[in-house]
Structures are given as structure tokens and as C-alpha cells.
Amino acid sequence: MEVSPPVRASDETDAVRTDSQLIYFSSTSENTGRFVVKLGREVARIPLYAKDAPLLATRPFVLVVPTYGGTGGEGSVPKQVIRFLNNPQNRQLLRGVIGAGNTNFGDNYCLAADIIAAKCQVPHLYRFELMGTPEDVTRVNQGLDTFWTRLSQTQK
């Protein structure tokens, strides 16, 4: 995994800027992080702790997000991801979502990605369980390549 080197912003917010096209959140369990590492792409991680400097996207990106929480979707989207997307610049640059989850959650499997996709009006591109399989890694990499190619062609 190539982690894009964070560059401290010179503005008052003390944000960490990233030009990575793949931004993810992973809890201390690191399941989502382990999956993202397997992709072998440049990535940036949304900070785990509120005391950490916030992450600021500087170019369009796809978000990889796990689902937490229980019934009815309450608490499904991690608070750190909500904080990240509450920044208008980050929300404006979001182009798609990939969901991580656990099929034991039943109807709530990858619900965080569904919620974000609907709220931000971007596609939910893929879903995988826990740390993903080798097939998931292949499909996500191929899907991201196709997604960014198509997006660049439609923006011309």
C-alpha cells in the first residue's frame, strides 16, 4: 500500500490534505484497512480520533467505509466519516462509495455505504465482507480502473 504523504495545510484548520483517489476509514480492528492495503493503491485514512487533524481531500475520490451499529441503521455510519463528509469540500469531491461489512448484520450489511451513497447522490460501487477475498480485491481494482476511466471521459 502506498499511503499518500499527508501535507499539513497552511490554513487555520490544521487539516491534512490528500490528493489520493481512495480514502478509507478503518476502526481499531483494521479489517477495512487490511482490505485497502491489498488493493496496492495510494490511499489516505480518515483519522480515528477527533483530536487528530482532519483530512481534507483535494481531488475527486472514492470512499471505502465499514458499517457499524445496530438496527434500523442507527449508528451505521462511523462518526469519523460523518465528520469528514460534513466538510463541504470533501463532500463535493466524493464520487463513489465502497462498503465493508459483515453479513451477520443482515439487512444492515454495508448499510453505511448505502446511506452515504443516497445522501451524497453518488454510486455505491461495491460491497465486501470483513477483510474481503482475493476475488474482491481483483473486482475492486478492475472496477476502480473502469470507474475513473469512464468518469474522466464524461467530464471532457
Side-chain angles (χ1 to χ4, degrees):
M1 166 180 77
E2 294 180 37
V3 176
S4 71
V7 179
R8 288 267 175 199
S10 59
D11 61 12
E12 295 125 22
T13 64
D14 199 31
V16 175
R17 295 179 186 266
T18 182
D19 65 352
S20 182
Q21 287 186 302
L22 194 63
I23 294 176
Y24 75 100
F25 177 74
S26 191
S27 71
T28 54
S29 75
E30 288 291 339
N31 284 338
T32 306
R34 282 193 277 280
F35 175 78
V36 170
V37 165
K38 294 177 202 174
L39 296 174
R41 292 174 177 260
E42 182 180 315
V43 299
R45 182 180 184 171
I46 294 171
L48 189 57
Y49 303 106
K51 66 178 174 51
D52 295 334
L55 187 66
L56 185 66
T58 59
R59 69 187 289 194
F61 67 92
V62 169
L63 176 66
V64 182
V65 62
T67 294
Y68 301 120
T71 55
E74 179 120 2
S76 293
V77 180
K79 289 179 179 156
Q80 297 90 331
V81 175
I82 293 169
R83 178 177 168 228
F84 173 76
L85 291 174
N86 277 341
N87 179 303
Q89 180 171 324
N90 291 339
R91 198 169 45 253
Q92 180 183 9
L93 292 171
L94 177 65
R95 295 297 182 266
V97 185
I98 296 171
N102 186 326
T103 53
N104 290 340
F105 290 176
D107 290 343
N108 289 345
Y109 174 62
C110 295
L111 185 59
D114 290 335
I115 291 169
I116 292 167
K119 212 166 194 167
C120 297
Q121 300 179 331
V122 297
H124 185 168
L125 300 169
Y126 195 80
R127 60 188 76 224
F128 65 92
E129 187 170 19
L130 300 173
M131 294 175 277
T133 64
E135 182 180 73
D136 290 325
V137 171
T138 299
R139 285 185 171 181
V140 167
N141 268 326
Q142 289 172 349
L144 286 170
D145 289 343
T146 301
F147 179 75
W148 288 117
T149 299
R150 286 184 182 156
L151 196 63
S152 70
Q153 290 170 348
T154 59
Q155 292 179 345
K156 288 183 178 174

